[in-house]
Amino acid sequence: AQTIVTLNQLFLSQSWIPNIIRKRVCTTFVEDSLSNGALCQCGGMRETHGSNATGDYFGAAIVSQWDSSQHSSEYPTDAFGELEFAGAGRRHSHFLRLSCDTPPQIVYSLMTAHWGVPSPNLVVSVVGSGGCEKVKPWVREVLRQGLVKAAQSTGAWIVAGGLREGVGRCVGEAVRDHAAAASCLSQKKVIAVGVAPWGLVHHREQLVNTQGSFPARYYVQNASRDSCCLDNNYQAFLLVDDGSVGRRGGETAFRSMMEDYISHQRTGIWDSGSIEIPVLCMLISGEAAMLKRVDLSLRKATPWLVLNGSGPAADLICELLDALSAVPMSCTSPPPEGEGSESPSAELRERTRERVKRHFPAEADREKLVDRALSIYQNRDLITVFHGEQDSPDDFDTVLLKALVRASKRVSSDASEYTEELKLAVAWNRVDIANSELFNGDIQWRYEDLEDSMTDALINNKPQFVRLFNENGLNILDYLTYQRLEGLYRSLSNSSLAYALLQRHLTERQSLARSLPTVPCSPDEPTPLKSPISGPSSAKELSLYEVSRLLWDILGDVCQPFYYGPLGLDQSTSTWRTLKQVNKLLLGDCLYREQCCVHPWASLFIWAVLQNRSEMAVYFWEMAGESVLSALAGCKILRELSKLESETAAKLSLKELAQKFENLANEVFSECYQSSESRSFNLLIRQSLVWGEATCLEMATAADARLFFSHDGLQSLLSQIWWGDMERSTEVWKLILTFFLPPLIYTNLISFREPEEEGKTEQVPHGQDTDSLDGVDATMFSLTDMMDEDAEDYAAVRVNLKGAPSSNPKRPFVLLRWREFWFAPVTAFLGNVLMYFLFLSLFAYVLLLDFKPPPPHGPSTLEFVLYFWVFTLVCEEFRQTFFRGSTTLYQRMKLYIQDMWNKCDITAISLFALGMCCRMFPWSYEFGRAVMAVDYMVFTLRLIHIFAIHKQLGPKIIIVEKMVRDVFFFLFFLAVWLMAYGVANQALLYSYDPRPGWIFRRVFYRPYLHIFGHIPIHEMDGCTNNVTLIEAGAEPCTSTYANWLVVILLVIFLLVTNILLVNLLIAMFSYTFSKVQEHSDTHWKFQRYNLIAEYHSRPCLAPPFIILSHLHLFIKRHIRRIPSVKIKHFVLDIRGRQASRLNTWEAIQKENILSAQNKREREKDSERLKRTSVKVDSVLKQMAEIRDHGHRLRILEAELEYCSSALSWMVQALSQSNLIKPTRPPPALRGKIS
């Protein structure tokens, strides 16, 4: 760990570069015979060499040829940093002067880790002729339209010379043109890396700085002409130094080593790709010396793409591959043992010699070129020819893919051509190539062929390939094991929030593991969260337990813990024991890792959501079941992560994706509600096995999905539960009247749902209804089928299947109607409201008329009744806190405290207890009465929560709540002005006043009254200036010295407060009202659910009679041990075939939504333009082919005309000669071709 920290510090300080990277300097002056002793064979002048180099006359005398490795030495580099091209107006480029012997792994790490250059998915090394050779126009077009576009789409590096000459300049211009034409929102930028000889760069002295240049200003003159200046269109420059000056080719060896090193690195995040980074060399033109470069590279199995017709070397290679293919390579005798190549035949060598002579007539050592050409021909499988004048540049990426596939097939005899092509397409994220070339129906893909590519696509966020693999043979049930799932979580980026949260839980488990003697874990070892996806795992690595803990922290008690089943854990076990059990499990064989994931799509959905991968998460949501609940769960996870995220952009992205999933849940449920009302109700309250027995209502509440709660279907369900078995159209006055006159229940004053309707429904055959998936109602809500339940259980469970025959005994009509009325939540609500008004009336009467003195004279009988009434309220609050749900005590208390109205209840009860205690003693009697008076205000304000059920008052309460927050901001500004004006006013008017209470009153209270126009002038009468009287309590007189200043301050104070701040408050209220009014209905419906859920869970009796219900519950739960079905509200447990039918029906509705969305997307103007563009491109391509065919037909016509003329001449000549005696005249043309 200490070594890692040291390396990180070196990277940040940049001081390590001269210590590791070297340059080369000529140390032996070898005289150039053509320069009369002025130049060394390295190209440098005598004056630039040191005394040691020029003083070794004996060594220089015996040396005839200068060699970089022998006659130059390495020194710390003096040119590195950032490069600013003067006048270019673009971002800085990185540059480095390095020795030709520098290890390539150091340079590659420097580029990717320190310079921030993204790791490539492909490296295209463009080589060709240097100098002032002209590049053909079609080659420029291939570079611009083909190479650069392919590099952008595949995430490739383009490695070229980096100088403003020849092919290197053309590459730079192509990159520049692409950057100018591409959108600023392009996901990838083309990375161009220049590798050039240091001694060839013009004005290189501008780059020299031993401390590094950040940046170095580089001036380029005559930019329109070819020169050896650096090209400003490259992102990075590697200036290879072999000690020579002004000579080419010094970078060739290092460039070859760099290409070979990169070709052994793996693609993807954390080198997680399924293939090594492919390297392809591209030859454009080239001189005779280029054959050596091609030959050496081919010997290392590096594939080459040669542009036919671009220049001498490229044309020679293309002719060799075309013309010599029919000539036998060798004689019949086998090659000697140990040689890897065949000996060429004499005929092949002669033909090669002819072509070399034609392309390079001026070369002296022609036989060496012939040997190079034959060696290249022997590795012809690694060479792909691109016919630029015939092939379209738009197909260049496909040509690159084919070239690399050919090379991989030759290098690895076991590799399948299609598999390698697929891996390359995945690495480049080119799903279009995969669709057109690999998944067109001609290839039968197996699971084994897609497994590694699927892992690559998942880790590197390529959802289109994940979709493609799933549609073409990959079975996700077999693919996703728990070991792979752990590997996917280990592949998280260390910059993500999920990584930090998982790391925290991993550290917690490891800290316990270190304290146990059975766990061999060293505290000095770094935490290995990352590991290969298929590599071995141990107790020190991330496991499913950390994932489960993270989901438990995010989702809370909405659902049961994830992955406890495979790990063999029990959620009731303490955390410390669970950690011990997990560590013991991970130190063993970990057999659970070989098991297949039970719910693979849901697990992948959670994995994608935790990383905020929008497109992939949406696809996994489409594939997972229980669409509504899954979308709400994703919304909950994302909103919890957004609360923990510190970066603004990431927080906004999380919130946007959360809102997207809430919208998806709302749309799917809308489709379900339109299809079948009763089935959609079942959808909301059924327990999910995938999401830990959670329901849609519970998840939506936890996710704060207010838009989802505002849906008419959900509100219809709540209304049906709210009214029970009574008709929802019943007027409230009828309920109140029946509440005071219970016999009216048995009249027609209140309408109940008729039992005949349910009986008719039960007559429907079971298979005819419940097996249908077309939206026919399969269930209904009824309370009459559950008469065997007691009062509480009867009010809790409100769902039953239609076709299930009722085994409950029929209740008498009197008892049945009585229970249907009194156990409805709306009746409980009205009872609580009426009794609460009675409670407030009693409280007010006691406080105003019957508040007796302390004992023994008081309290009165009514006051004792009030105490008992409050005691029953306390009992109800205890029931709501400690006797609801199956979670831990801490979680119950936390859930209770989170509700604002519960805080109000605690405040009211605490104040009542304090006032009751204080009023019992004479010395605190008045204080107790004051506390009681304040407590009455708190109890009265509690009525606001009751009115939240009202359709008109409910939204207004939301608006008032928002405005109260605005008032606090207003009071902050007002307090600043009150303090400023009050202190100044007190100091100017009263020179001396030792009474703190009066000072506080004048500083704060009087300025506050000034706002409303109250100025107490009467207090100026009866004042004194006597200090003794003032100290005794007399009113001091005001000072008249600075009256003018007091008036000015008063004017300013009233101007700011009455005009500025008050109008600011009005503007804030107006803005809040207009903003909240749009969504107040949505917020009210969400609060309405909470109120309905609260009164649904309450006993039917209101305080103070609720104590009877509490005693009844205590006897039933703790004495008779009868379990309650009211622990979880609105829960329906559906298993087996019924659950499968409901899931299938929900999936059908989701597919309808997705189909409609796809149709709307296709009908957009942008999509139509895109399809039109594709069609136009296809037409243009076909027209180009037609022109090509027309050109070929014209050539054939010319050849046929020539043949026809030749034959006519031969016939005429033969007819005039005496060689042949014709027996009949020559044939004549019978007709003309129209």
Side-chain angles (χ1 to χ4, degrees):
Q2 188 175 4
T3 305
I4 295 175
V5 173
T6 305
L7 287 175
N8 290 335
Q9 292 175 351
L10 286 174
F11 267 87
L12 293 175
S13 65
Q14 302 180 5
S15 61
W16 62 277
I17 294 180
N19 297 331
I20 299 179
I21 307 297
R22 303 286 176 169
K23 66 177 182 179
R24 276 200 172 271
V25 179
C26 179
T27 55
T28 304
F29 185 84
V30 180
E31 182 180 335
D32 188 355
S33 59
L34 302 178
S35 63
N36 296 325
L39 295 177
C40 176
Q41 290 186 15
C42 70
M45 300 181 67
R46 180 181 292 272
E47 292 78 8
T48 59
H49 289 68
S51 58
N52 295 333
T54 57
D56 189 6
Y57 299 105
F58 178 76
I62 62 175
V63 174
S64 60
Q65 184 69 29
W66 184 86
D67 183 78
S68 174
S69 60
Q70 298 179 9
H71 304 133
S72 63
S73 300
E74 292 186 344
Y75 297 91
T77 185
D78 57 359
F80 62 93
E82 295 180 355
L83 189 61
E84 178 186 0
F85 290 90
R90 62 179 302 277
R91 62 182 179 83
H92 298 169
S93 301
H94 300 279
F95 75 98
L96 174 67
R97 178 185 181 183
L98 67 157
S99 170
C100 59
D101 297 329
T102 304
Q105 58 267 29
I106 296 178
V107 181
Y108 183 75
S109 300
L110 169 68
M111 295 177 65
T112 55
H114 183 56
W115 288 356
V117 180
S119 300
N121 293 324
L122 167 69
V123 175
V124 180
S125 181
V126 183
V127 296
S129 298
C132 300
E133 181 182 350
K134 297 298 181 181
V135 180
K136 297 181 179 180
W138 68 266
V139 175
R140 295 174 181 268
E141 192 67 19
V142 167
L143 293 176
R144 182 182 296 106
Q145 298 293 332
L147 176 61
V148 176
K149 289 181 65 176
Q152 192 271 339
S153 63
T154 58
W157 286 3
I158 301 178
V159 181
L163 302 179
R164 299 186 62 85
E165 62 171 11
V167 176
R169 178 167 185 162
C170 294
V171 171
E173 291 175 349
V175 173
R176 178 199 62 198
D177 295 342
H178 174 79
S183 171
C184 60
L185 299 177
S186 180
Q187 295 181 355
K188 299 178 184 176
K189 293 184 177 179
V190 178
I191 305 298
V193 180
V195 182
W198 165 261
L200 195 63
V201 178
H202 285 187
H203 309 300
R204 57 187 175 276
E205 63 277 358
Q206 300 174 8
L207 310 179
V208 176
N209 187 343
T210 56
Q211 302 300 321
S213 302
F214 302 96
R217 293 184 62 85
Y218 188 74
Y219 296 89
V220 180
Q221 298 178 352
N222 297 326
S224 59
R225 301 190 327 179
D226 283 356
S227 64
C228 291
C229 297
L230 297 178
D231 193 330
N232 63 340
N233 296 305
Y234 287 76
Q235 282 73 33
F237 295 94
L238 301 178
L239 307 178
V240 183
D241 190 4
D242 64 344
S244 65
V245 178
R247 302 198 174 188
R248 302 181 184 274
E251 83 286 0
T252 304
F254 171 79
R255 185 169 173 177
S256 179
M257 289 191 302
M258 187 75 175
E259 294 165 358
D260 183 66
Y261 173 77
I262 295 178
S263 66
H264 291 85
Q265 308 306 306
R266 301 191 74 84
T267 60
I269 303 173
W270 304 101
D271 297 337
S272 58
S274 58
I275 62 169
E276 295 176 340
I277 299 176
V279 176
L280 177 70
C281 294
M282 181 176 174
L283 177 59
I284 301 175
S285 184
E287 302 295 338
M290 188 58 63
L291 297 179
K292 179 180 179 181
R293 166 84 165 87
V294 175
D295 183 30
L296 294 178
S297 182
L298 288 174
R299 292 176 185 269
K300 295 181 180 180
T302 301
W304 279 79
L305 179 65
V306 181
L307 266 63
N308 188 15
S310 59
D315 295 346
L316 172 62
I317 295 175
C318 294
E319 284 192 20
L320 290 176
L321 297 180
D322 187 29
L324 303 184
S325 58
V327 182
M329 181 67 195
S330 63
C331 304
T332 56
S333 59
E337 185 72 24
E339 295 185 6
S341 61
E342 304 174 75
S343 58
S345 63
E347 181 184 359
L348 182 63
R349 189 174 186 87
E350 183 60 30
R351 292 193 179 188
T352 304
R353 187 180 293 109
E354 293 176 1
R355 283 161 176 79
V356 170
K357 181 179 180 180
R358 184 168 67 250
H359 287 282
F360 303 106
E363 291 295 328
D365 196 356
R366 192 169 298 160
E367 290 301 319
K368 182 178 291 188
L369 292 181
V370 172
D371 293 337
R372 293 289 185 191
L374 290 172
S375 178
I376 291 172
Y377 180 72
Q378 291 174 358
N379 294 286
R380 57 190 176 277
D381 294 338
L382 294 173
I383 302 175
T384 302
V385 178
F386 181 81
H387 302 278
E389 296 180 346
Q390 300 177 7
D391 299 336
S392 173
D394 297 333
D395 300 331
F396 194 79
D397 48 3
T398 307
V399 174
L400 292 180
L401 183 64
K402 296 294 184 182
L404 294 171
V405 170
R406 284 188 61 188
S408 63
K409 185 177 180 182
R410 180 188 184 278
V411 173
S412 176
S413 58
D414 297 333
S416 169
E417 178 181 356
Y418 299 119
T419 303
E420 293 301 321
E421 190 172 353
L422 176 62
K423 291 180 179 179
L424 288 172
V426 173
W428 300 352
N429 199 18
R430 293 301 303 272
V431 71
D432 54 339
I433 295 179
N435 267 319
S436 60
E437 301 290 336
L438 301 175
F439 293 95
N440 52 12
D442 298 335
I443 307 171
Q444 296 297 325
W445 290 97
R446 299 175 301 170
Y447 166 76
E448 295 79 8
D449 300 329
L450 305 177
E451 189 175 7
D452 293 339
S453 297
M454 179 68 167
T455 302
D456 189 359
L458 284 171
I459 295 177
N460 296 293
N461 194 19
K462 297 169 182 177
Q464 293 179 337
F465 273 101
V466 176
R467 183 189 299 269
L468 188 66
F469 296 151
N470 181 59
E471 294 172 353
N472 290 273
L474 189 137
N475 188 356
I476 196 67
L477 295 174
D478 297 331
Y479 170 79
L480 192 65
T481 61
Y482 289 114
Q483 181 176 3
R484 273 207 176 90
L485 186 59
E486 287 181 347
L488 291 175
Y489 279 102
R490 294 190 191 111
S491 68
L492 296 183
S493 172
N494 56 5
S495 61
S496 64
L497 176 62
Y499 172 88
L501 298 176
L502 288 171
Q503 180 73 23
R504 187 183 307 166
H505 290 296
L506 180 61
T507 305
E508 177 185 353
R509 181 171 60 82
Q510 287 184 344
S511 62
L512 177 63
R514 295 189 185 105
S515 64
L516 298 176
T518 57
V519 181
C521 182
S522 174
D524 297 330
E525 296 181 5
T527 304
L529 186 59
K530 298 280 188 302
S531 70
I533 194 165
S534 59
S537 299
S538 64
K540 297 183 293 183
E541 292 180 335
L542 180 72
S543 66
L544 286 180
Y545 175 72
E546 284 73 39
V547 180
S548 177
R549 285 291 305 274
L550 174 59
L551 295 177
W552 177 260
D553 293 342
I554 293 176
L555 296 175
D557 59 344
V558 179
C559 51
Q560 296 178 0
F562 286 80
Y563 308 122
Y564 266 40
L567 294 173
L569 303 177
D570 186 4
Q571 61 175 341
S572 61
T573 310
S574 63
T575 304
W576 186 79
R577 290 183 176 273
T578 303
L579 287 172
K580 286 184 61 178
Q581 187 176 352
V582 170
N583 282 321
K584 183 178 180 181
L585 174 66
L586 296 178
L587 287 174
D589 296 334
C590 299
L591 299 179
Y592 76 92
R593 288 191 170 120
E594 303 301 326
Q595 301 175 11
C596 293
C597 191
V598 179
H599 306 290
W601 291 117
S603 299
L604 290 175
F605 172 73
I606 295 173
W607 173 78
V609 166
L610 288 174
Q611 298 180 83
N612 195 21
R613 293 182 173 181
S614 176
E615 187 177 354
M616 188 170 285
V618 171
Y619 172 66
F620 290 148
W621 171 80
E622 294 176 4
M623 300 304 299
E626 304 182 4
S627 306
V628 178
L629 182 55
S630 297
L632 292 172
C635 177
K636 165 66 174 175
I637 294 173
L638 290 165
R639 283 179 176 162
E640 291 297 326
L641 290 177
S642 66
K643 297 176 184 177
L644 303 175
E645 183 61 64
S646 57
E647 297 183 4
T648 305
K651 182 188 292 289
L652 181 61
S653 176
L654 289 168
K655 289 182 178 179
E656 289 178 352
L657 186 56
Q659 188 60 46
K660 182 177 182 179
F661 277 118
E662 184 178 354
N663 294 337
L664 287 173
N666 193 49
E667 291 175 2
V668 174
F669 181 71
S670 297
E671 188 73 15
C672 294
Y673 183 69
Q674 294 175 7
S675 174
S676 171
E677 180 178 347
S678 59
R679 287 194 180 204
S680 62
F681 290 168
N682 286 349
L683 202 64
L684 292 173
I685 61 176
R686 64 100 183 265
Q687 285 184 317
S688 169
L689 297 178
V690 179
W691 293 96
E693 298 185 359
T695 66
C696 289
L697 286 180
E698 293 173 344
M699 192 65 74
T701 306
D704 196 23
R706 299 176 184 266
L707 177 63
F708 182 76
F709 269 102
S710 65
H711 192 276
D712 293 338
L714 196 149
Q715 292 299 313
S716 177
L717 168 66
L718 295 180
S719 298
Q720 193 162 345
I721 296 176
W722 178 249
W723 288 95
D725 281 328
M726 290 183 288
E727 293 290 344
R728 282 181 279 179
S729 60
T730 305
E731 289 83 354
V732 177
W733 67 268
K734 294 182 180 180
L735 293 178
I736 298 176
L737 183 61
T738 310
F739 192 86
F740 291 101
L741 298 175
L744 294 177
I745 298 174
Y746 306 105
T747 65
N748 294 327
L749 181 66
I750 298 178
S751 301
F752 291 86
R753 283 189 291 172
E754 296 296 333
E756 296 93 291
E757 299 177 3
E758 298 169 11
K760 294 178 182 178
T761 308
E762 290 177 2
Q763 295 174 5
V764 178
H766 180 75
Q768 179 179 344
D769 182 44
T770 57
D771 288 340
S772 63
L773 295 174
D774 57 355
V776 180
D777 290 355
T779 57
M780 67 172 296
F781 273 166
S782 174
L783 300 178
T784 56
D785 295 337
M786 305 174 191
M787 292 296 102
D788 58 335
E789 297 288 343
D790 58 12
E792 178 193 1
D793 299 339
Y794 172 83
V797 181
R798 303 184 175 277
V799 181
N800 192 21
L801 293 175
K802 276 185 179 181
S806 176
S807 59
N808 305 328
K810 270 292 182 182
R811 301 277 181 170
F813 173 77
V814 175
L815 181 60
L816 175 64
R817 189 54 56 89
W818 180 270
R819 297 173 71 90
E820 286 178 342
F821 176 79
W822 288 108
F823 295 122
V826 63
T827 309
F829 171 76
L830 287 177
N832 277 271
V833 170
L834 294 175
M835 297 306 294
Y836 197 79
F837 275 110
L838 184 60
F839 165 73
L840 292 178
S841 302
L842 176 63
F843 198 168
Y845 178 82
V846 170
L847 193 62
L848 298 176
L849 302 175
D850 201 17
F851 202 78
K852 301 295 183 181
H857 305 288
S860 64
T861 304
L862 289 179
E863 191 170 352
F864 277 115
V865 173
L866 180 65
Y867 293 164
F868 176 75
W869 202 317
V870 174
F871 171 73
T872 60
L873 294 177
V874 173
C875 293
E876 174 59 18
E877 297 301 320
F878 267 94
R879 186 197 67 81
Q880 294 181 15
T881 307
F882 301 105
F883 298 96
R884 285 178 57 187
S886 57
T887 56
T888 61
L889 179 62
Y890 171 76
Q891 291 172 341
R892 295 176 192 173
M893 295 181 63
K894 181 180 178 181
L895 186 64
Y896 177 82
I897 293 296
Q898 286 176 351
D899 188 86
M900 182 188 68
W901 296 110
N902 288 336
K903 297 176 184 177
C904 181
D905 292 336
I906 293 175
T907 304
I909 293 173
S910 302
L911 289 175
F912 190 88
L914 177 62
M916 183 183 66
C917 295
C918 293
R919 65 100 56 226
M920 295 296 177
F921 304 98
W923 56 272
S924 59
Y925 171 80
E926 293 298 334
F927 177 75
R929 181 184 175 88
V931 172
M932 285 285 194
V934 174
D935 188 41
Y936 181 81
M937 293 180 58
V938 179
F939 272 114
T940 307
L941 291 177
R942 188 66 170 80
L943 284 172
I944 297 177
H945 177 53
I946 297 176
F947 294 147
I949 195 66
H950 197 269
K951 191 172 184 178
Q952 280 73 35
L953 292 178
K956 300 303 183 290
I957 293 173
I958 303 296
I959 295 175
V960 171
E961 178 185 352
K962 300 290 183 181
M963 288 183 174
V964 169
R965 299 178 184 178
D966 293 338
V967 170
F968 281 105
F969 290 104
F970 169 78
L971 291 178
F972 170 76
F973 289 107
L974 183 62
V976 173
W977 281 97
L978 284 175
M979 172 75 81
Y981 171 72
V983 173
N985 183 68
Q986 172 72 13
L988 292 173
L989 291 180
Y990 300 95
S991 59
Y992 178 73
D993 190 353
R995 300 171 296 176
W998 278 92
I999 293 177
F1000 182 83
R1001 181 178 179 180
R1002 293 194 189 104
V1003 168
F1004 291 101
Y1005 180 61
R1006 283 188 180 178
Y1008 182 74
L1009 294 180
H1010 289 173
I1011 299 175
F1012 304 99
H1014 178 70
I1015 301 177
I1017 301 180
H1018 64 278
E1019 294 183 3
M1020 299 179 182
D1021 302 332
C1023 61
T1024 180
N1025 290 323
N1026 191 331
V1027 175
T1028 305
L1029 295 177
I1030 291 175
E1031 291 180 352
E1035 178 71 17
C1037 294
T1038 58
S1039 175
T1040 60
Y1041 172 75
N1043 279 349
W1044 60 274
L1045 184 58
V1046 172
V1047 173
I1048 293 175
L1049 293 179
L1050 178 62
V1051 170
I1052 296 175
F1053 174 72
L1054 293 178
L1055 179 68
V1056 172
T1057 54
N1058 285 23
I1059 297 179
L1060 180 63
L1061 292 183
V1062 172
N1063 282 280
L1064 174 64
L1065 180 62
I1066 295 173
M1068 292 171 62
F1069 283 169
S1070 300
Y1071 173 76
T1072 301
F1073 181 84
S1074 60
K1075 182 180 179 181
V1076 177
Q1077 181 67 21
E1078 301 176 1
H1079 309 285
S1080 60
D1081 186 67
T1082 301
H1083 296 299
W1084 167 71
K1085 288 179 178 178
F1086 182 74
Q1087 286 194 348
R1088 179 173 179 259
Y1089 164 75
N1090 294 326
L1091 189 67
I1092 291 175
E1094 176 184 349
Y1095 282 95
H1096 172 267
S1097 64
R1098 280 194 175 193
C1100 60
L1101 297 179
F1105 306 107
I1106 199 173
I1107 192 69
L1108 301 177
S1109 297
H1110 291 161
L1111 293 175
H1112 172 66
L1113 289 175
F1114 178 79
I1115 295 172
K1116 187 164 59 173
R1117 298 288 175 259
H1118 300 281
I1119 297 179
R1120 300 178 61 188
R1121 301 292 181 180
I1122 300 176
S1124 173
V1125 296
K1126 241 179 163 185
I1127 294 177
K1128 296 182 179 180
H1129 303 144
F1130 316 118
V1131 173
L1132 175 65
D1133 189 9
I1134 302 179
R1135 302 298 173 105
R1137 188 181 177 189
Q1138 299 172 0
S1140 176
R1141 285 196 298 269
L1142 187 61
N1143 290 334
T1144 305
W1145 172 76
E1146 182 186 10
I1148 292 174
Q1149 312 311 317
K1150 177 187 66 177
E1151 292 299 328
N1152 294 338
I1153 288 292
L1154 296 177
S1155 300
Q1157 289 181 352
N1158 293 334
K1159 184 178 181 181
R1160 288 194 298 267
E1161 287 291 330
R1162 289 194 302 268
E1163 291 177 353
K1164 288 184 177 179
D1165 293 339
S1166 59
E1167 292 296 326
R1168 291 181 178 179
L1169 287 175
K1170 190 180 297 183
R1171 292 195 298 269
T1172 304
S1173 176
V1174 173
K1175 293 177 181 179
V1176 170
D1177 291 340
S1178 177
V1179 170
L1180 291 176
K1181 190 173 182 179
Q1182 292 177 4
M1183 291 180 64
E1185 293 177 355
I1186 292 173
R1187 286 196 301 268
D1188 184 37
H1189 293 161
H1191 178 67
R1192 294 181 181 181
L1193 287 175
R1194 285 193 296 270
I1195 294 175
L1196 289 176
E1197 288 177 357
E1199 292 179 355
L1200 286 174
E1201 185 177 357
Y1202 168 75
C1203 293
S1204 177
S1205 300
L1207 289 174
S1208 299
W1209 177 82
M1210 291 173 62
V1211 169
Q1212 184 178 4
L1214 289 175
S1215 64
Q1216 294 176 0
S1217 67
N1218 298 324
L1219 295 177
I1220 301 176
K1221 299 296 183 179
T1223 59
R1224 60 184 178 87
L1229 187 62
R1230 296 182 178 179
K1232 294 183 178 180
I1233 301 176
S1234 57

